[in-house]
Amino acid sequence: MLDAGRTQGLLKARGRQRTDSTHVLAAVREPNRLELLGETLRAALNALAAMAPAWLRSVALPVWYERYSRRIEDFRLPKTPAERAALADEIGDDGFRLLAALDGPESPPGVATMPAVEVLRTVWRCHFEKTPDPADPSGNGRARLRPVSGRGGEDRLESPYDTDARYCSKSGMEWTGYMVHLSETCDDDAPRLIVHADTTAANVHEAMRTEPIHVALAAKGIAPALHLVDSAYVSAAHLVTAREVFAIDLVGPPRKNLSWQQRQGGGFRAADFRIDWEASRAICPRDKQSQSWRDYRDRSGSPYVKVRFNPADCRACEARAQCTRATGVKWGRNLRLRPRDEHEALAVARARKETDSEQPLYALRQGVEGTLSQAVRSFGLRRARYKGIAKAHLQHVAVAAALNLDRIAAWLRGRPLAPTRRSRFAALAA
Ligand code: SF4
C-alpha cells in the first residue's frame, strides 16, 4: 500500500512525520500469582499429555488429576494468606517434581525442551526457591515462594498462554500486553498515511524505539526530513544519531532538567556555564575557570566529561548558594557534561522549544493523538486479538492498512479532516 501511495504521489520521502504510542492489552486473562503458578503447571501437563501420555501417567501423582484437571480459576481458592501460601508451596513442589522427572533418564526425547516446559522452568525460577527439608528422604528440599519484589522485569512472565506479553505501570495506569507506536505523515499537501507500526512488549520504553523506527523508515525509503515526537522519544544521543545517521531533524521537547538548580529557580544550571570545548574548560556565571576536565565512561560505556571548579573560588563566591550544595573544604562545583555534539544538540532543542516560530510544529505533533484515538475506537487497536508479539504486530499492521484505506478514500473524495471535537460545555469557555 505504501508503494502504491508513493507511485500515486500520495506519499513522499523527506517530508514531515509524527509518532506516538498507546498501550495494547494482551489477549489473555491477567491471573493473580497463585493462578499464574497453577495455570503454568497445568499448561505444561496438558502439553506433555499430548506428547508423552504414557510417560506422564507414570510420573503424575493421583492428587494432580484433582488439582490440575480444570482451569485454576474454576476452583474455590483458599481465602487466608497462610492457606494460599501453603497451596502455592504445594504447586511449587509439584512443579519441581515434574521438572526432576523431565530431566531424569526415563524422560522421552524432546519433552524436556518443549515450549510449555521451558515456560514452567522460567516461572518456577522466578517465583520459587528450594529450602532443605530434613523430612524429605530424597534430599530435594521443599519449594518456597520467593518474597514479592514488585512486578515487571524483562523475563517475568505474566501468563503461560502469552509469553511475550509483559506488565507495565505508567502514569497511573497498569496493564499486561504490548505497546504500539504509529508513525504517520503530516504534510499539508497529501493524506496523512500511517507509514510504520512498531510493536513491543509493554515494558519497553519509548526511548528504546526512536532509532529502530528510523532504521525501519529508512529501509522503506520513506524516512522523513522532520520527525515530530514527544519527550519520551527524545534524548541528546537520539538528536545526534537522527541527524548524523538518518538526516532526520528530530523535533520534540527534551526531557525536563531535574536538577535542584533548575527546580529552585535562579540556580546556576549546567546550561548557564560557558563551555570552551577546544580548550577543555568551563567558565561559570561568576567568570571563574574550571580547575580540571576529565573524560569518563559510565556503566553502560557512554562517554561523559567531568568538570571541577576550584574549591577555593567556590568557597569565596557570594553566589555559592545558587550554584552548589557541596560542603567541606574539598569540593567546589562539579559539572557532568555529555560529549560536545550531544551537549550542543540538547541546548539547541531546549532553545527551540521556547521559540515562538517553532510552536506550530509542537501543535502539529499532537495531531497523532487523534490517529491513535481513531485506531482504538474504530479499529480495535486497544486489545490484542491474538497471542504473541508476532501476531499482535500483524494486527497493528492490518489496522494501519485499514486506516490508510479510509484516509486515501477521504482524500480522493475531498472529505476534509474532521476538526477536533469539543464538548458543548468546553465550547462555552472564552
Ligand atoms: S560557586 Fe564556584 S562555580 Fe559556582 S558561581 Fe561561584 S565560583 Fe563559580
Side-chain angles (χ1 to χ4, degrees):
M1 186 176 288
L2 295 179
D3 285 344
R6 216 163 8 187
T7 311
Q8 298 296 320
L10 301 174
L11 173 64
K12 61 182 181 190
R14 313 304 303 154
R16 292 192 302 201
Q17 293 176 13
R18 54 194 180 188
T19 295
D20 205 353
S21 63
T22 192
H23 64 287
V24 176
L25 308 175
V28 289
R29 193 173 166 277
E30 287 182 52
N32 61 38
R33 195 180 189 195
L34 194 54
E35 291 170 339
L36 168 68
L37 300 172
E39 270 308 300
T40 299
L41 182 50
R42 201 176 80 89
L45 289 170
N46 276 328
L48 289 164
M51 183 94 166
W55 174 82
L56 183 58
R57 199 176 288 121
S58 72
V59 300
L61 298 179
V63 70
W64 290 8
Y65 295 101
E66 194 183 313
R67 209 175 270 157
Y68 306 112
S69 290
R70 286 182 291 151
R71 293 184 71 92
I72 188 108
E73 67 260 26
D74 292 341
F75 286 94
R76 215 175 270 249
L77 294 173
K79 292 268 184 292
T80 68
E83 288 172 334
R84 292 172 75 87
L87 176 58
D89 290 346
E90 282 175 20
I91 294 173
D93 282 335
D94 294 342
F96 280 128
R97 184 185 179 98
L98 179 63
L99 289 171
L102 284 161
D103 295 334
E106 308 296 327
S107 169
V111 294
T113 55
M114 290 170 63
V117 172
E118 294 297 349
V119 172
L120 178 66
R121 290 186 202 280
T122 304
V123 171
W124 256 236
R125 206 165 38 239
C126 177
H127 289 274
F128 289 108
E129 56 194 356
K130 273 193 170 183
T131 57
D133 179 10
D136 178 11
S138 70
N140 286 331
R142 295 290 316 270
R144 285 287 175 271
L145 266 181
R146 290 184 192 277
V148 180
S149 57
R151 289 184 69 177
E154 273 184 25
D155 292 331
R156 178 148 175 176
L157 303 185
E158 300 296 331
S159 165
Y161 303 116
D162 186 342
T163 55
D164 294 329
R166 291 291 183 273
Y167 168 83
C168 186
S169 170
K170 189 185 285 182
S171 308
M173 187 172 58
E174 297 179 66
W175 79 101
T176 293
Y178 302 96
M179 287 277 284
V180 58
H181 307 253
L182 294 184
S183 301
E184 68 173 2
T185 56
C186 52
D187 294 303
D188 293 332
D189 56 350
R192 289 170 181 184
L193 299 182
I194 313 294
V195 288
H196 190 57
D198 184 79
T199 309
T200 68
N203 59 351
V204 177
H205 193 274
E206 288 91 333
M208 306 298 291
R209 303 314 297 167
T210 309
E211 195 171 333
I213 289 171
H214 287 167
V215 169
L217 292 170
K220 294 178 189 182
I222 47 174
L226 187 78
H227 191 194
L228 304 166
V229 292
D230 71 22
S231 59
Y233 295 90
V234 178
S235 72
H238 289 136
L239 292 165
V240 172
T241 306
R243 185 186 66 214
E244 294 187 354
V245 178
F246 302 101
I248 292 173
D249 183 11
L250 185 66
V251 178
R255 269 169 259 177
K256 284 185 184 150
N257 181 344
L258 298 176
S259 68
W260 67 263
Q261 290 93 340
Q262 170 78 25
R263 279 183 278 126
Q264 128 175 330
F268 296 158
R269 306 157 306 164
D272 297 318
F273 290 66
R274 280 170 286 147
I275 310 297
D276 185 344
W277 295 93
E278 275 79 25
S280 296
R281 72 181 171 202
I283 297 139
C284 78
R286 288 294 176 267
D287 290 328
K288 299 293 182 193
Q289 286 192 18
S290 56
Q291 185 182 48
S292 71
W293 174 288
R294 292 221 172 86
D295 295 315
Y296 292 95
R297 285 190 180 273
D298 64 18
R299 263 188 256 166
S300 67
S302 302
Y304 69 93
V305 177
K306 191 153 194 174
V307 179
R308 287 195 169 130
F309 284 81
N310 189 337
D313 288 339
C314 295
R315 270 200 309 276
C317 176
E318 96 291 347
R320 182 188 166 103
Q322 292 169 263
C323 189
T324 177
R325 289 175 175 170
T327 54
V329 291
K330 200 173 172 191
W331 300 107
R333 173 74 188 258
N334 294 334
L335 293 177
R336 180 175 165 141
L337 304 177
R338 295 181 172 84
R340 181 177 185 172
D341 51 358
E342 293 184 16
H343 180 90
E344 292 176 347
L346 200 56
V348 169
R350 288 201 167 122
R352 204 172 179 180
K353 171 81 174 55
E354 306 304 324
T355 309
D356 287 346
S357 61
E358 296 283 311
Q359 294 315 306
L361 284 182
Y362 293 93
L364 184 61
R365 185 209 69 78
Q366 291 175 355
V368 71
E369 290 167 10
T371 295
L372 292 174
S373 175
Q374 185 187 10
V376 167
R377 290 166 206 279
S378 304
F379 297 87
L381 188 72
R382 177 68 71 229
R383 184 169 284 281
R385 298 166 72 94
Y386 315 105
K387 295 167 192 164
I389 195 167
K391 289 181 182 175
H393 178 61
L394 181 64
Q395 177 188 348
H396 300 156
V397 173
V399 168
L403 276 162
N404 284 348
L405 281 175
D406 181 61
R407 289 169 175 206
I408 289 171
W411 179 264
L412 295 177
R413 285 184 187 147
R415 191 174 83 206
L417 290 172
T420 304
R421 262 190 273 167
R422 299 175 78 198
S423 71
R424 289 183 181 170
F425 176 67
L428 292 180

